[in-house]
Structures are given as structure tokens and as C-alpha cells.
Amino acid sequence: MSSHSKVKRSREHWKQKASRRGDETRYLRKELRRVKQERDTYKHRAQQAERQGTARQLQAQRPAHCGKPDLVWLALQLFLVARIGFRAVSRVLAVLGPALGLAKAPCPQTISNWVTRLSLVRLQAASRLVGAPLRQAPFSNGFIWMIDISIGLGSGKLLTVLALNAHHHQLQPGAPALSQVHCLAVAVAASWTGEAIAAFLQRVMAVLGRPAAYLKDGGTELRKAVRLVGERGLPSLAIDDISHLVAALLKRHYQAHPLFEPFLTACGKVSGHLKQTLQACLAPPKVQTKARFMNVHRLVRWAARVLQLSPVGRAAQGSMLAQLRACLDQLPACKAFIKRFHADARPLLACQQLLKTQGLSHATLTQCDPLVAAIPSAAVRGPFAHYLQAQLAIATTLGLAEVGLPISSDPIESLFGLAKQHGTGELQDAHRIAPRLPALCGLPTRAEAHQVLEISVAQQAQLTKGLTSLTKQRREVLTTPEGLDNLGREPAAPPVELLPRPKNGPNQREIIPISTGYTKAEGPQGRPQERLPCPARAAR
């Protein structure tokens, strides 16, 4: 091969090599540029993510902002659900203030005002309550009204009306609770007669309509009021509370028993002997003197268990059994009474618990039949069986014999007990308790918290005007020498009534009665005269 050919071939090889190097260089340059761009992008994203993470950490450390409606709702939850006092609610909010972003926690008086305004909100909303319709009671509002009277300090007596859905046992499991009832009306007066209660119920019916039935205890005033309202053209069935009925049966049968008073005396002495000793855990439970037979079965159950700890036979001197026998006083002599009372009360209380939880129906009555048959005393067994049949007839009339008829007024008893111990201080003044009763029924919602803030001071003053305060009277009497004479010269406080407002227009004082059919009567000339049912709705 000539030198020229060698040079030419070498040149072509160099060109190919240079071209290949150039392609690789350009490719590497492009890849390097792309890698740098991606690196910058990822670096920017990492820095941005780091800034966002730092911001989130700062936001998490920063206290959350609690709005005014949320604060009202939280305060109502603490008072009505956690059931702590106004001062305790204020202290809890002060502790949680930094975490909630609160500059200042509300004072106890502010929380008290919120509770009072919640009562006003619920009274205004009572006219919008709608119950499930009842075919057998087409002109009723579908609710069972619980009515009861309670006393506090002072001359005022509380009359309260609660509404419970007649289909409660179909809609809710378990016995009716305070959170499942609605407070319709509250009134305070020096005394309540059957005529006064009937007039008050008619004013409530003018706004809310006629109830399907009344659920009450065996008080004569309440019984007369229900009868008077029915005679005035607004009849409703009356359901007797099972707890009061059981207590009345036991009282009627055992109050005159010759061993009853010695039994109570022995229990009091045993309590005094056992306290401040090693056997203080065996002290008897406390039973109130008023409505004693509502809880006397607890005392009898305690006595039966204590006597089981002392079997027949001699006890060693100085032993715990000997010390216990020395404290029992005359309790062993009442053993026959304790055994008989416990045998009668145990089936009654078992039936009571079953009917409170599931309501009275054909199914629950079948479960109660063997328990009723096990009651030894015929004087207790017969009236209780008659009571169950009478209440079952009421359930059949209302169409609730298969669903379950509520026959327990425990919610209204719980309401009175809670109102007297919660938020009233040491003076259980009826005039202070009354404005808070509607707030204690049900659970507070955020919508109600917004409505509480919409209530003005003038509206609250309209609700609480005319309410006397025992605390104020006590302060004036104890600090002023002539305050005692002024107390006797003060005019009597007018009756206080907290009633729901109608949807449209003022309260109707006159109620139109509705007949359930028509009657025919012969006129003087023998021409038939027909009385047609009024088409207007009762209490409207």
C-alpha cells in the first residue's frame, strides 16, 4: 500500500474517531445539563418541603382559636354533661385557655347566664316538637307528658311538665333518660291545687296540643287535675308511675306491721354502733324519712345480708363475729319481718326493673307473670296484678301494647334531684331552680350555642323578672337589724310561669274541645238534631 493510501485511510479513521468523540461529548454535555436541572428542581422541592414542615410545626405549637359559639358549647357541655359547677367550669376553661387560644376565661356568672339563656332557647323551640302519630289518639301530639310537683327551700313549689315520645321503647333501647325528654313548661307557686294544675295544663295545651297520656305519681292534686282537664273537653289517659305504685303497696301492707318501727330503730342503733369501728363497712345505707318506702328495700336487703354473717352457734369471745353480734342490737328479733318483706319486695323490684327498661307490653307482661305469682302476700300480689292489667289496657288503647308503654317517671325525678344539687349552691331556692330546668333536659348542641348568643339581655331579664332570691333576702335580713320586719311586710311573690311560645300569634286562652264522634238528640218537635265534630284541631 502506498504512503498516500495510508495517509488517506488514517485520516478517515481519525475523522470517525473525532466524530464519535464529538457525539459522546455533546451527549454528556446534554446529560449533565439535564442532571443539573433535575438536581436544582429536587433541591428546590426539598427546601420548600422543609419550609412547609417547619410551618406545620409552628402551627401545631400555636394555640387553636376557639370561637365564641364553640366556647359556649364547651361550657354547656362541662356543666350539663360533665356536671361540674359554674366555678369549676370557669376554672377548667382557665386551665385550657392557652391551648384554646382564650385571652380570658368566662366568669361563673357568665356561664350561669348562658345556662339560663339555653332554657329560654329550648322553651322557644318547644312549640316545634313533633311526636310520632298515634292512630288510636289522632288528635294528640304524640307525646306522653310527665307531670310532678317538687318542693325546695322557701314557700315556692315547682310544677314541671316534660314530654316523652310515646314510641320511646320502639325508637330507643333502655329506659327513658333525662337526655331523651323535653321540658315543656315550669311554674312556681306557693301551693298547687287540682284546679290550678288543670288551668296550667290548659295553657300549655293552647300552644302544644293535647298529649296522648299523662305519666304521674299517685298524688291527689295531679289526679284531680287530669280529671278536670278531661271534663273540660280535653281528655287524655293517665298512666301511674310503677315506682310510686310499688312503694305505695309496700307502705300500705307493712307500715302498720308491729315489727316495722322496731326494725327501723334497730337499724339506727346498729349504724351508731358500727361507725368509727373496724366493721364500719357493714353500716346500713341511709334512707330518707320522706318517701321512705321508695328505698326501704335497700335497708331490708342490707339487714338480710348482715344476718347471714351471723350463723347459729356460739362465737368465740373477742372474735369479729362476737363484736358484730354485740352491735346488732334488736335486729335478729326482726328476722321474720325482714324475710317476709324481702320475699315480697324482690319480685316487685324485678318486675319494676324489667318494665322500666322495656316498657309494658304483652311480651313483658308474660315475663312478669311468674314473678307476680311468686309474691307471697296476697294483699300485695293482687293489687299489683290489677295495676299491670289496667296499664296494659291503656297501652292497648294507645296502640302501644306490642311496642311497650313507658310507665316510669324517673326522668322527672332525676330532673328535680339534679336541679337541687347542681348549680344552686347551699340554698335550694325554687325560684333559682325553675329557670334552669329546661336546660337540664337533653344534650346541648352547637346550633343551640349559636342561639344562646342571639338571646339579648332584655329577653333574659324578661324570663327572670319577678323571681325572688332567698340569697338576697338572707343577706338583707342578716345585715340589717330591721330586715326581719321588712321580710314580713314584703308582698307575696306572684306565681312564676315559664311557658313555650306559639309558632304564630299569641297564646290562646280559650281551647276548643273536639268530640270524637257525633250524637243525635230528638228536638221538641221530634226532628233529629245532629252535632257534628268540630274540624279544628284542639288547642289551636
Side-chain angles (χ1 to χ4, degrees):
M1 181 181 294
S2 63
S3 58
H4 179 72
S5 298
K6 291 180 179 180
V7 171
K8 187 176 180 181
R9 185 176 179 181
S10 176
R11 183 183 178 189
E12 292 296 332
H13 181 70
W14 174 81
K15 285 183 178 180
Q16 294 176 2
K17 188 176 181 180
S19 177
R20 188 169 57 252
R21 287 180 177 177
D23 293 340
E24 293 177 356
T25 303
R26 284 189 295 269
Y27 173 77
L28 293 175
R29 191 182 299 118
K30 291 179 180 179
E31 288 296 317
L32 181 61
R33 189 183 303 114
R34 181 182 62 79
V35 170
K36 288 183 177 181
Q37 290 177 354
E38 292 180 355
R39 181 201 61 187
D40 295 340
T41 302
Y42 292 147
K43 186 177 180 179
H44 177 69
R45 291 180 180 176
Q47 293 175 353
Q48 186 177 5
E50 185 178 359
R51 288 194 295 269
Q52 292 177 356
T54 304
R56 290 193 184 96
Q57 292 179 358
L58 295 177
Q59 184 68 22
Q61 297 175 359
R62 191 177 305 164
H65 178 69
C66 182
K68 191 66 173 293
D70 296 330
L71 177 61
V72 174
W73 176 77
L74 180 57
L76 294 177
Q77 287 279 344
L78 291 174
F79 180 74
L80 300 175
V81 181
R83 294 182 181 177
I84 59 178
F86 296 127
R87 291 183 176 87
V89 172
S90 180
R91 290 193 296 267
V92 169
L93 292 178
V95 173
L96 299 179
L100 298 176
L102 298 178
K104 181 180 179 182
C107 65
Q109 184 59 45
T110 301
I111 300 170
S112 175
N113 293 336
W114 288 345
V115 173
T116 304
R117 295 181 183 185
L118 178 61
S119 297
L120 184 57
V121 167
R122 290 183 171 174
L123 284 177
Q124 294 176 351
S127 60
R128 299 190 293 271
L129 292 175
V130 178
L134 295 171
R135 291 184 180 181
Q136 286 74 6
F139 295 105
S140 66
N141 53 22
F143 287 98
I144 295 176
W145 285 6
M146 299 181 185
I147 53 177
D148 200 2
I149 301 173
S150 179
I151 60 175
L153 291 180
S155 59
K157 293 184 178 180
L158 284 164
L159 173 62
T160 307
V161 181
L162 302 184
L164 174 67
N165 197 320
H167 291 83
H168 167 80
H169 290 290
Q170 185 179 8
L171 302 175
Q172 299 288 341
L178 192 57
S179 60
Q180 298 164 349
V181 296
H182 307 275
C183 185
L184 302 182
V186 182
V188 181
S191 63
W192 287 104
T193 61
E195 292 79 4
I197 298 174
F200 180 74
L201 291 177
Q202 285 186 273
R203 288 194 289 274
V204 181
M205 291 182 196
V207 182
L208 303 177
R210 180 168 57 89
Y214 299 98
L215 181 54
K216 59 177 184 58
D217 57 19
T220 56
E221 297 87 358
L222 298 177
R223 189 185 307 113
K224 182 178 180 180
V226 172
R227 178 177 58 81
L228 290 176
V229 173
E231 293 175 354
R232 295 170 186 174
L234 295 168
S236 295
L237 298 173
I239 306 171
D240 293 328
D241 174 55
I242 187 172
S243 299
H244 289 83
L245 185 278
V246 170
L249 290 178
L250 294 176
K251 180 179 180 180
R252 188 182 308 134
H253 187 62
Y254 284 102
Q255 189 176 23
H257 196 282
L259 292 178
F260 179 67
E261 290 298 333
F263 168 72
L264 294 181
T265 303
C267 290
K269 292 182 179 180
V270 171
S271 177
H273 293 329
L274 290 178
K275 290 180 179 178
Q276 310 299 327
T277 66
L278 294 176
Q279 299 177 353
C281 61
L282 301 178
K286 184 178 180 181
V287 177
Q288 297 180 356
T289 56
K290 185 176 178 59
R292 174 181 293 163
F293 278 87
M294 294 289 290
N295 297 307
V296 74
H297 61 274
R298 300 177 181 175
L299 200 60
V300 174
R301 187 186 301 117
W302 163 84
R305 292 179 177 178
V306 168
L307 291 179
Q308 290 179 356
L309 298 177
S310 177
V312 179
R314 184 177 180 180
Q317 186 176 4
S319 64
M320 296 298 293
L321 179 57
Q323 296 178 17
L324 176 62
R325 288 180 177 179
C327 298
L328 293 181
D329 197 70
Q330 298 298 321
L331 195 63
C334 304
K335 192 171 184 178
F337 166 81
I338 296 171
K339 183 178 180 180
R340 185 59 179 264
F341 190 100
H342 193 255
D344 284 336
R346 186 171 59 250
L348 288 175
L349 296 176
C351 291
Q352 175 180 309
Q353 182 64 28
L354 175 64
L355 297 178
K356 281 184 178 182
T357 306
Q358 302 181 19
L360 179 62
S361 62
H362 290 294
T364 55
L365 186 60
T366 302
Q367 300 178 35
C368 289
D369 286 340
L371 296 174
V372 175
I375 300 176
S377 301
V380 178
R381 181 178 62 254
F384 185 68
H386 177 72
Y387 161 80
L388 294 180
Q389 294 297 330
Q391 303 306 310
L392 184 62
I394 295 176
T396 304
T397 304
L398 295 176
L400 301 174
E402 302 298 332
V403 176
L405 176 70
I407 59 173
S408 172
S409 62
D410 285 353
I412 197 168
E413 302 293 344
S414 300
L415 177 63
F416 287 142
L418 180 62
K420 291 178 181 180
Q421 299 177 4
H422 190 42
T424 58
E426 60 181 21
L427 291 180
Q428 299 175 356
D429 186 3
H431 290 86
R432 293 182 62 189
I433 295 173
R436 297 171 185 168
L437 288 180
L440 296 175
C441 299
L443 299 176
T445 62
R446 294 185 181 273
E448 290 178 332
H450 285 82
Q451 296 174 6
V452 164
L453 294 176
E454 296 175 358
I455 300 296
S456 63
V457 177
Q459 290 175 310
Q460 181 181 350
Q462 183 70 19
L463 175 67
T464 57
K465 73 175 183 179
L467 299 180
T468 60
S469 173
L470 293 182
T471 303
K472 181 179 179 181
Q473 293 177 350
R474 180 181 183 180
R475 187 183 305 114
E476 293 176 352
V477 169
L478 295 180
T479 56
T480 308
E482 61 275 6
L484 188 60
D485 296 333
N486 295 334
L487 185 63
R489 289 193 295 266
E490 288 184 357
V496 177
E497 294 183 353
L498 306 180
L499 295 170
R501 296 181 180 179
K503 296 180 181 178
N504 297 314
N507 292 343
Q508 299 294 331
R509 294 297 179 181
E510 297 183 359
I511 305 176
I512 303 175
I514 294 182
S515 60
T516 57
Y518 66 93
T519 58
K520 294 183 179 181
E522 297 294 333
Q525 301 178 358
R527 300 177 61 183
Q529 298 178 353
E530 297 184 357
R531 181 180 299 175
L532 299 178
C534 179
R537 182 182 176 185
R540 294 292 183 190

